[in-house]
Amino acid sequence: MRPVASKTGWLLSAAALLGGCSLAPAYQHPAMTPPATFKEGAPWQAATKTPAPAGKWWQAFGDPALDALEARIDAGNFDLAAASARYDQAQALVRQARADLFPQIGVSASVDRNRLSANRPISRGLASTQTDKIMGGSLAYELDLFGRVRNSIAAGRANAHAAAFDVEGVRLGLQSQLAATYFDLRGLDARILLLRQTVESFQRAFDLTDTRHSGGIASGIDVSRAQAQLSSARSELSAVEIDRARDEHAIAVLVGEAPATFSITVADPQTRPPTIQPGLPSTLLERRPDIAAAERRVAAANARIGVARAAFFPNVTLGAQGGFESVGGDWLNAASSFWALGPLQAALTVFDGGRRAAQVRQARAEFDEAAATYRQTVLDAFREVEDDLATQRLLVAGEADQAAAAKAAERTRDLALIRYRDGAADYLEVVTAQTAALDAERALLQLRTRQLQAASDTFRALGGDFRAGK
């Protein structure tokens, strides 16, 4: 017994010493040098809102209806639920990989009754019947001498972290999508209110023209032109209401509710975009969940190189078994016990036609792909921030010009109608002025909607309140 125990202890000690061996390359974060500042990072508008609390960037817009809708995403959105389920799957895969760190223990029991022939060799002509009862257990353990198991666990953990960051990315994307759709809906609300006022105005103009025609002052052409303007405005109102209904249905799905039971009252809250401080580009690497997820996938690919390399070294396993066996009545005693230590097996493939070398090359190529994807993700993030900052800056200037154009078009429309009423102009001048005024006001509303959508997308591009290290 002592020599066996001594050998076993030596083997376990050697395994413990070799257990720290890992064939994965030392992980280095993919190099990516961010610019010192954003090109479009200079202040571009005066502050209009108080900064939002951490974690609720949409509150910077100061719209209670939007706040209430955003609060429903976590509980109601099924895309987010699916992303969370993928994270749970990744965690389960880590636990599966961790199981290989521990011995596999099994138990078994059997009862076998046999009758031995009286004519069997060396039987002395006597038959015999016996019951063989066995109860025992077994143990099998892979000695992770070259880090295959530990690198598999490391890769699984990195993938699980990436899946967690994916959940944050999906959440942020849904929040931004909801805000953009909501602002589009509110922009359509403003257009609906504008068109309703326009229809009323065009109706009064038509009534005036029809009255003048009845009195022989206006021609039938003027009446037709007034009728065309009125009908066109009504048609546009119907088209805008269709678009609004689609936005309302989209918002219902985002918050996890059937469109049939969901509605938002038409209103024009006159929301203005907040000031957004983009910070330094270097902080973007910590704020974007997609960047954090891409980096963790690089780490997972690095660990899988170690798994592929370990296939070049022996796979060492240790086995043991023991239990009780007896053909008598009393079998759970020392006399009926049995045990075996071993076998200690080492298996190594000597020739595989280059399969393992190809697997290592594949693992390295996957690492290179993950690193390139990470760098591209970072560049795309910088581009998205610059795009949104430039869009907001230019929309501010465009809104000021369009507001001046709308005011001038309104004055022209009012003057044209006065001139027509006084008989100094025909109705064509009125129609032209009305069309120009409506186009200018419509364009102004669209610019304001784009400002709000660009601001919400800027929050998304900056990562919301996400921090990779939290």
Side-chain angles (χ1 to χ4, degrees):
M1 294 293 292
R2 286 181 181 177
V4 173
S6 176
K7 290 179 181 178
T8 303
W10 182 86
L11 288 171
L12 293 176
S13 298
L17 291 174
L18 291 172
C21 178
S22 174
L23 299 176
Y27 178 65
Q28 294 182 350
H29 194 288
M32 198 69 190
T33 304
T37 59
F38 287 110
K39 179 180 178 181
E40 299 287 344
W44 46 268
Q45 71 177 66
T48 58
K49 294 286 188 299
T50 302
K56 298 181 179 179
W57 55 266
W58 55 87
Q59 291 188 358
F61 293 93
D63 190 327
L66 175 62
D67 297 344
L69 291 170
E70 292 284 3
R72 298 176 61 181
I73 283 183
D74 279 358
N77 188 271
F78 295 108
D79 286 335
L80 184 59
S84 298
R86 288 191 291 271
Y87 170 59
D88 292 339
Q89 295 172 37
Q91 285 188 309
L93 290 175
V94 174
R95 288 191 287 271
Q96 290 180 36
R98 277 179 52 82
D100 289 338
L101 287 176
F102 303 94
Q104 303 298 307
I105 300 175
V107 295
S108 62
S110 67
V111 177
D112 186 16
R113 184 168 179 79
N114 298 302
R115 180 181 185 280
L116 302 180
S117 170
N119 297 322
R120 69 185 186 277
I122 319 177
S123 67
R124 298 181 181 180
L126 299 175
S128 68
T129 302
Q130 62 185 21
T131 301
D132 187 14
K133 295 174 287 185
I134 303 175
M135 183 175 67
S138 62
L139 178 147
Y141 180 58
E142 178 182 349
L143 303 179
D144 190 28
L145 303 182
F146 305 102
R148 183 192 68 82
V149 175
R150 282 172 288 115
N151 281 319
S152 295
I153 295 171
R157 282 175 176 165
N159 281 327
H161 291 158
F165 296 143
D166 286 341
V167 174
E168 295 297 329
V170 170
R171 177 180 287 110
L172 179 59
L174 290 170
Q175 291 168 349
S176 178
Q177 183 182 354
L178 174 58
T181 306
Y182 175 81
F183 290 137
D184 188 66
L185 179 140
R186 287 310 188 195
L188 294 172
D189 282 352
R191 287 180 61 187
I192 287 173
L193 296 176
L194 169 65
L195 288 169
R196 286 175 179 173
Q197 295 171 1
T198 300
V199 167
E200 293 175 0
S201 176
F202 285 2
Q203 182 67 58
R204 289 193 298 269
F206 171 77
D207 293 341
L208 172 62
T209 307
D210 190 50
T211 300
R212 289 168 61 86
H213 177 260
S214 299
I217 301 174
S219 68
I221 295 178
D222 289 346
V223 176
S224 298
R225 286 170 175 166
Q227 180 64 63
Q229 283 285 88
L230 176 59
S231 299
S232 178
R234 286 174 174 169
S235 176
E236 183 179 349
L237 177 58
S238 298
V240 172
E241 288 174 338
I242 290 173
D243 291 339
R244 187 194 188 277
R246 291 181 181 275
D247 280 349
E248 188 177 71
H249 300 162
I251 292 173
V253 172
L254 284 171
V255 300
E257 187 171 340
T261 60
F262 181 86
S263 64
I264 301 175
T265 304
V266 175
D268 183 11
Q270 298 295 325
T271 301
R272 301 296 297 162
T275 296
I276 302 173
Q277 300 297 334
L280 297 176
S282 57
T283 64
L284 194 64
L285 303 184
E286 301 175 357
R287 298 183 61 173
R288 292 266 300 217
D290 57 341
I291 292 177
E295 185 276 328
R296 286 292 80 200
R297 290 189 169 94
V298 177
N302 186 79
R304 287 195 293 271
I305 295 176
V307 175
R309 283 177 169 178
F312 282 99
F313 296 87
N315 187 0
V316 181
T317 58
L318 175 64
Q321 58 181 333
F324 300 91
E325 181 178 15
S326 174
V327 295
D330 186 11
W331 60 311
L332 299 178
N333 52 46
S336 300
S337 65
F338 70 90
W339 62 268
L341 181 63
L344 178 63
Q345 295 180 329
L348 174 64
T349 300
V350 178
F351 178 76
D352 62 0
R355 181 188 300 274
R356 288 169 296 172
Q359 290 172 343
V360 172
R361 286 195 296 271
Q362 178 184 352
R364 288 187 177 277
E366 290 174 351
F367 173 84
D368 293 339
E369 178 189 5
T373 300
Y374 168 80
R375 294 187 176 98
Q376 187 62 50
T377 302
V378 172
L379 285 179
D380 287 341
F382 289 145
R383 175 188 56 78
E384 289 175 359
V385 174
E386 296 284 11
D387 286 350
D388 286 337
L389 293 177
T391 298
Q392 291 191 77
R393 176 176 59 81
L394 295 171
L395 283 175
V396 169
E399 183 195 8
D401 292 335
Q402 189 60 44
K407 186 174 293 186
E410 289 174 5
R411 288 197 302 269
T412 302
R413 178 196 61 199
D414 295 340
L415 291 173
L417 193 57
I418 292 172
R419 282 168 51 81
Y420 175 72
R421 188 180 294 120
D422 295 341
D426 61 11
Y427 202 77
L428 179 59
E429 183 176 317
V430 176
V431 170
T432 303
Q434 287 177 333
T435 302
L438 180 58
D439 289 344
E441 290 169 349
R442 185 194 301 114
L444 179 60
L445 293 176
Q446 290 172 341
L447 277 173
R448 289 173 177 170
T449 298
R450 287 188 63 192
Q451 278 186 293
L452 292 167
Q453 291 178 321
S456 67
D457 195 67
T458 302
F459 279 115
R460 180 203 61 79
L462 291 172
D465 76 312
F466 175 80
R467 295 292 186 277
K470 69 178 180 179

